[in-house]
Amino acid sequence: MRRKDRTSPVHCEVQQFRQVWIWAVVAICAGLMWFASATPLLLHRPLGDRPMPDALLIVFWFVFGIDLPALFLFGRLVAEVRGDGIYGRFVPFHRSFHRIAFSELKRYEVRTYRPIIEYGGWGIRYSCSGKGYNVSGRRGQQLELLNGKRLLIGSQQPEELLRAIQAQVDERHDERA
């Protein structure tokens, strides 16, 4: 009997930041930085009594005027279920996927959570509740590992993610039986 390819995803979910209020804050910060940089650099009118040096102004413009919007525009959370485990990657912070083998799982369940209260917001977060990867919404897959660590993976399709995990866990159990 030929073994199945365990590296192909059986479930894949890609999420991006969708909250209007986050985009408003990012747009305001970027717009203010563009204005604060363009006025002294292009119009040669310093802002304030003690203007910032041009080199530092360019650094701030690059970080808050370009990098910050790009981070939210291109940042995404990718969650995959494959035959050998659950894979997660938070672009651009992770260069490759992080894998949690099914054999490491003690428990997993869909749960509703409060991102700001429990994790301090969205992104890659650490709290007393464990580690969390989330970009939007309030639902996800709570994983509890055999070593006692907890990981929350935010999901817009938590039930589908749960079914994919359960199907792979059941398949592995059937192969061993």
Side-chain angles (χ1 to χ4, degrees):
M1 181 192 316
R2 193 172 151 213
R3 284 186 61 122
K4 289 184 180 180
D5 178 16
R6 293 201 178 274
T7 60
S8 298
V10 294
H11 175 83
C12 179
E13 181 179 0
V14 179
Q15 300 176 67
Q16 292 184 290
F17 289 97
R18 303 177 308 153
Q19 300 91 325
V20 173
W21 70 270
I22 287 179
W23 282 106
V25 169
V26 168
I28 289 168
C29 286
L32 288 173
M33 201 65 245
W34 277 83
F35 172 78
S37 301
T39 303
L41 295 173
L42 299 177
L43 302 176
H44 305 291
R45 282 195 247 149
L47 293 176
D49 297 336
R50 295 174 41 201
M52 186 181 298
D54 288 353
L56 190 57
L57 191 58
I58 290 170
V59 169
F60 271 78
W61 166 76
F62 193 76
V63 169
F64 293 103
I66 295 176
D67 281 352
L68 182 67
L71 174 68
F72 282 92
L73 183 62
F74 297 111
R76 64 188 185 277
L77 173 62
V78 182
E80 294 182 353
V81 177
R82 301 180 191 174
D84 62 343
I86 303 163
Y87 287 74
R89 181 175 178 212
F90 209 122
V91 177
F93 300 107
H94 297 143
R95 294 171 138 247
S96 60
F97 281 95
H98 292 265
R99 179 176 78 101
I100 298 169
F102 293 121
S103 60
E104 296 177 53
L105 291 177
K106 178 179 179 182
R107 222 168 54 96
Y108 50 93
E109 66 183 355
V110 171
R111 114 173 157 86
T112 301
Y113 63 97
R114 298 176 299 181
I116 294 175
I117 293 172
E118 291 182 50
Y119 291 94
W122 292 269
I124 301 172
R125 313 302 279 187
Y126 299 89
S127 76
C128 55
S129 300
K131 189 174 185 178
Y133 294 139
N134 56 16
V135 293
S136 66
R138 302 169 39 132
R139 300 191 70 218
Q141 191 64 234
Q142 180 70 61
L143 308 175
E144 187 177 336
L145 307 180
L146 292 173
N147 64 10
K149 292 183 179 180
R150 295 168 51 93
L151 173 68
L152 177 88
I153 302 172
S155 175
Q156 300 301 306
Q157 309 162 351
E159 286 81 12
E160 290 177 34
L161 182 57
L162 176 67
R163 282 192 294 274
I165 293 170
Q166 187 62 55
Q168 293 304 306
V169 169
D170 289 347
E171 187 176 305
R172 287 180 56 84
H173 183 265
D174 291 345
E175 284 177 1
R176 280 186 250 145

